[in-house]
């Protein structure tokens, strides 16, 4: 399935807040070479009631009363940093001995490794066992992941982004062959042994089931929406340009804002957001006469494709985006070379905070969504976790429990000393305190931090920082204003293990659509692309998804 790319950061320094998820969305998936089996190649769907039977009993933990209470999947908001912190974990989780190996993606300069990193040393000292992280480039993470799975050589804890899972054929076979079944450790009241894992949202755990068994710890999203269309409000205002409220105005904005002689273009990647403006579903929708209709078969998708291809054809998109799958649009946006681009909402606070130190007037804001042709937009999103963390199979009962205790420590909530250490490091070394008590990271922190302990879940929150004083309210207001046009998830609560042929066609089809957008193929080639998509796995996928709905009475 298309990756669900929600905002996933806890506060201004967490892993995907620095990276966002837009860049990661361009990573191509592949097939699983070493773990392919015939079993599971046709896919399977675990019914919602069977999933509920293996989930942890939800027991929320809230150390501090939020200023803005969370509502459903929306995180709680805190407008100040606590003056007093508590110890959330009283027993050291590790037992010494062999270091814990991990692998996770990172979208930034590689920090120093174990033995040369005081941030790692400080946290490992609290854990009672060394965590030895392997951070891999988030842009090429799929290549590393596929090679590792194919070789059946995985670390003790492996972090897999949700947008890679659906693109790996027979991923469920790899799960059962390589990773520990955690059901008996975490099902029902057993999860109380790990209270901060038990406090993770049930909606995130639902996706962590394969073959009716619980195999992963989820890293929950802290927002419903997959993307936002960000604009440089400071530069747009300075240029006297109006914020678009329709596709027509968006096009006119592009014409007025683009000035190649000054090295400025209106747009980076915006196609996914344009689809949502035109009311296009993320993948499937129900037809009035029954059955499912894929977005490639709809007039809305074609209209969105034609509109965006026109932006490319008229030179309104930055040449780096035109030339590649994954231009560094964050840098282009921060440098004022593009004025609009789409990204996960997780990019917002980190970029705003960092750039405000470079340019005091820097102001990035998500564009309010709008519809096309008199119809409302449809925003994509879900409670699907951002990451899944898997435990290597065959490590033994005691080691598995140690790993779960470490993940429980890493899930310690806001208001705890563990949270502060995980997010900011050591006071006086990795951060100082502002007058309001909030941490101010040092240069050493920026060098040593790489989200190394965001390897499991944590309860999402939004926390005000001095360099982003309006962010928490702006973020939550954006969600509340747009939640009414969130696309209904037809498959919520059903765990889908996708057919191999479906997984195999996703990336090649995306490449063909990309060629149409960039003018390398004509718009009318969409008809041929759609035929190829349906004949090589799309129709098989349709039958699979329709059966999954029928089996669940939907």
């Amino acid at each position: 399935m298309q990756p669900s790319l929600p905002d996933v950061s806890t506060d201004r320094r967490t892993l995907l807040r620095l990276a966002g998820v837009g860049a990661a969305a361009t990573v191509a998936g592949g097939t699983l070479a070493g773990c392919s089996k015939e079993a599971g190649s046709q896919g399977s769907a675990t019914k919602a009631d069977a999933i509920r039977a293996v989930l942890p009993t939800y027991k929320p933990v809230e150390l501090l009363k939020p200023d803005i209470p969370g509502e459903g999947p929306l995180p709680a908001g805190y407008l100040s940093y606590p003056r007093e912190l508590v110890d959330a974990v009283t027993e050291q989780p590790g037992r010494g001995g062999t270091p814990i190996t991990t692998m996770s993606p990172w979208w930034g300069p590689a920090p120093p490794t174990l033995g040369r990193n005081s941030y790692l040393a400080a946290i490992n000292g609290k854990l009672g066992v060394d965590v030895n992280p392997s951070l891999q480039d988030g842009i090429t993470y799929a290549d590393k992941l596929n090679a590792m799975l194919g070789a059946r050589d995985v670390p003790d804890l492996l972090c897999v982004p949700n947008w890679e899972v659906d693109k790996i054929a027979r991923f469920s076979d790899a799960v059962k062959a390589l990773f520990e079944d955690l059901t008996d450790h975490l099902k029902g009241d057993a999860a109380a042994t790990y209270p901060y894992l038990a406090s993770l949202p049930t909606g995130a755990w639902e996706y962590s089931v394969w073959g009716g068994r619980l195999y992963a710890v989820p890293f929950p999203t802290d927002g419903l929406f997959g993307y936002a269309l960000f604009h440089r409000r400071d530069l747009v205002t300075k240029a006297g340009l109006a914020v678009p409220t329709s596709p027509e105005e968006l096009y006119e904005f592009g014409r007025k804002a683009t000035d190649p002689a000054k090295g400025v273009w209106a747009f980076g990647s915006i196609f996914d957001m344009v689809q949502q403006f035109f009311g296009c579903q993320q993948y499937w929708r129900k037809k009035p006469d029954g059955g499912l209709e894929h977005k490639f078969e709809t007039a809305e998708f074609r209209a969105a494709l034609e509109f965006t291809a026109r932006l490319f054809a008229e030179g309104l998109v930055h040449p780096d985006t035109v030339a590649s799958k994954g231009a560094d649009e964050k840098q282009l946006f921060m440098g004022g070379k593009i004025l609009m681009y789409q990204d996960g909402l997780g990019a917002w606070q980190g970029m705003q905070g960092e750039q405000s130190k470079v340019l005091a007037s820097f102001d990035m804001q998500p564009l309010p969504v709008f519809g096309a042709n008199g119809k409302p937009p449809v925003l994509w999103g879900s409670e699907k976790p951002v990451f899944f963390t898997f435990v290597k199979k065959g490590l033994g009962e005691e080691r598995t429990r140690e790993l779960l205790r470490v993940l429980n420590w890493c899930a310690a909530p806001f208001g705890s000393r563990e949270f502060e250490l995980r997010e900011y490091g050591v006071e006086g070394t990795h951060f100082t305190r502002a007058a309001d008590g909030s941490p101010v990271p040092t240069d050493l922190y920026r060098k040593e931090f790489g989200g190394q302990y965001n390897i499991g879940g944590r309860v999402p929150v939004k926390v005000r920082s001095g360099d982003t004083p309006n962010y928490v309210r702006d973020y939550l207001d954006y969600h509340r204003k747009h939640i009414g046009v969130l696309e209904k998830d037809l498959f919520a609560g059903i765990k889908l293990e996708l057919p191999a042929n479906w997984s195999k066609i996703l990336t090649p089809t995306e490449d063909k659509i990309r060629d149409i957008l960039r003018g390398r193929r004509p718009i009318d080639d969409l008809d041929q692309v759609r035929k190829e998509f349906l004949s090589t796995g799309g129709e098989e996928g349709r039958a699979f998804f329709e059966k999954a709905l029928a089996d669940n009475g939907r």
Side-chain angles (χ1 to χ4, degrees):
M1 298 276 298
Q2 178 77 4
S4 173
L5 300 175
D7 170 24
V8 294
S9 63
T10 302
D11 70 57
R12 73 179 209 65
R13 290 287 180 174
T14 50
L15 170 61
L16 292 188
R17 241 206 62 207
L18 293 175
V21 285
T26 66
V27 181
T31 59
L32 181 64
C35 295
S36 297
K37 300 179 183 178
E38 189 59 33
S41 64
Q42 302 304 309
S44 64
T46 305
K47 292 183 179 181
D49 55 355
I51 290 175
R52 288 191 292 269
V54 299
L55 299 182
T57 299
Y58 175 59
K59 293 184 178 180
V61 177
E62 189 173 84
L63 301 181
L64 296 172
K65 183 179 180 180
D67 298 295
I68 306 174
E71 298 178 14
L74 293 184
Y78 293 87
L79 302 180
S80 62
Y81 196 84
R83 295 286 184 173
E84 298 292 333
L85 303 175
V86 302
D87 291 316
V89 180
T90 56
E91 180 185 356
Q92 197 173 60
R95 298 293 184 263
T98 307
I100 296 170
T101 57
T102 72
M103 190 179 93
S104 57
W106 176 245
W107 290 263
T113 54
L114 186 66
R116 301 185 298 113
N117 187 315
S118 63
Y119 170 76
L120 297 181
I123 295 183
N124 287 345
K126 293 293 184 181
L127 292 175
V129 62
D130 279 346
V131 170
N132 185 10
S134 173
L135 298 185
Q136 300 294 322
D137 183 357
I139 299 298
T140 58
Y141 195 70
D143 298 332
K144 181 70 174 181
L145 184 62
N146 276 284
M148 179 173 283
L149 295 177
R152 297 174 175 255
D153 182 16
V154 297
D156 298 329
L157 297 172
L158 177 65
C159 178
V160 181
N162 80 52
W163 56 90
E164 304 300 351
V165 168
D166 294 340
K167 292 183 178 181
I168 298 176
R170 300 182 175 90
F171 182 76
S172 60
D173 294 337
V175 168
K176 295 160 192 173
L178 301 177
F179 303 118
E180 192 69 29
D181 182 345
L182 302 176
T183 309
D184 293 338
H185 294 278
L186 297 172
K187 180 179 72 172
D189 293 338
T193 303
Y194 314 100
Y196 305 122
L197 298 184
S199 72
L200 300 180
T202 298
W205 282 109
E206 288 177 347
Y207 290 92
S208 303
V209 176
W210 278 266
R213 304 292 288 177
L214 192 63
Y215 274 95
V217 174
F219 190 106
T221 173
D222 59 3
L224 288 171
F225 303 129
Y227 301 95
L229 184 57
F230 286 101
H231 69 291
R232 283 288 302 273
R233 185 165 66 177
D234 55 323
L235 299 181
V236 169
T237 300
K238 182 178 180 180
L241 298 172
V243 174
T245 61
S246 69
E248 294 77 19
E249 291 180 8
L250 186 64
Y251 168 73
E252 288 300 322
F253 173 90
R255 291 183 62 251
K256 294 175 181 177
T258 299
D259 188 345
K262 295 182 178 179
V264 177
W265 282 261
F267 306 118
S269 299
I270 67 170
F271 181 51
D272 290 291
M273 284 304 302
V274 169
Q275 291 178 63
Q276 295 169 74
F277 293 158
F278 277 82
C280 183
Q281 77 273 19
Q282 189 170 9
Y283 256 88
W284 300 102
R285 70 183 180 193
K286 287 187 175 181
K287 294 187 292 186
D289 58 349
L292 293 175
E293 179 180 48
H294 193 271
K295 69 176 179 180
F296 293 163
E297 301 173 288
T298 67
E300 290 89 345
F301 181 81
R302 186 181 185 94
L305 185 67
E306 291 174 342
F307 177 89
T308 312
R310 183 184 182 190
L311 303 182
F312 277 93
E314 296 190 16
L316 309 184
V317 179
H318 195 281
D320 288 1
T321 298
V322 176
S324 71
K325 289 183 181 181
D328 192 348
E329 295 185 344
K330 295 178 189 299
Q331 290 297 327
L332 295 173
F333 184 73
M334 290 187 292
K337 302 300 183 183
I338 57 176
L339 300 187
M340 285 189 186
Y341 87 119
Q342 68 187 26
D343 206 339
L345 280 151
W348 186 2
Q349 190 179 16
M351 191 182 296
Q352 177 64 45
E354 291 301 312
Q355 291 304 302
S356 64
K357 297 181 180 67
V358 179
L359 179 67
S361 62
F362 184 91
D363 186 10
M364 65 182 291
Q365 292 289 326
L367 197 71
V369 301
F370 48 77
N373 304 320
K375 298 180 179 180
V378 174
L379 287 183
W380 304 342
S382 75
E383 291 186 68
K384 192 172 187 179
V386 183
F387 295 146
F388 299 99
T389 298
F390 296 91
V391 174
K392 183 177 181 179
K393 190 173 185 177
L395 296 176
E397 182 80 5
E398 190 52 44
R399 180 66 161 182
T400 297
R401 290 186 180 277
E402 180 182 43
L403 296 177
L404 290 174
R405 289 194 300 269
V406 168
L407 292 178
N408 181 67
W409 188 99
C410 292
F414 180 66
S416 69
R417 291 186 176 88
E418 292 83 359
F419 180 99
E420 181 174 88
L421 180 60
R422 183 189 74 221
E423 299 303 326
Y424 299 103
V426 178
E427 183 174 3
T429 301
H430 300 103
F431 73 90
T432 58
R433 291 199 190 275
D436 64 358
S438 61
V440 178
T442 64
D443 288 341
L444 180 63
Y445 173 91
R446 295 184 179 93
K447 176 183 178 182
E448 293 189 338
F449 178 83
Q452 295 96 326
Y453 298 92
N454 288 300
I455 47 177
R458 79 290 175 271
V459 174
V461 294
K462 286 295 171 184
V463 184
R464 179 190 183 276
S465 64
D467 51 11
T468 58
N470 302 316
Y471 167 76
V472 172
R473 290 193 186 279
D474 288 348
Y475 176 90
L476 295 174
D477 283 348
Y478 180 85
H479 278 77
R480 291 190 176 97
K481 287 177 180 177
H482 297 110
I483 199 168
V485 292
L486 178 70
E487 179 187 15
K488 181 181 179 181
D489 184 356
L490 299 177
F491 304 95
I494 306 170
K495 180 53 192 280
L496 304 172
E497 299 175 35
L498 302 175
N501 287 337
W502 171 265
S503 298
K504 289 177 181 178
I505 63 174
L506 296 181
T507 297
T509 304
E510 289 170 1
D511 290 341
K512 295 171 186 176
I513 296 297
R514 187 178 291 109
D515 284 344
I516 294 176
L517 284 172
R518 286 155 172 73
R520 296 191 282 265
R521 298 180 65 165
I523 290 289
D524 287 344
D525 271 14
L526 175 60
D527 296 334
Q528 182 61 32
V529 170
R530 181 176 60 248
K531 291 177 182 177
E532 293 169 354
F533 170 78
L534 293 174
S535 65
T536 57
E539 289 293 2
E540 181 180 338
R542 191 200 311 271
F544 169 79
F545 289 112
E546 288 178 345
K547 184 178 186 301
L549 291 179
D551 288 347
N552 282 271
R554 302 183 190 180

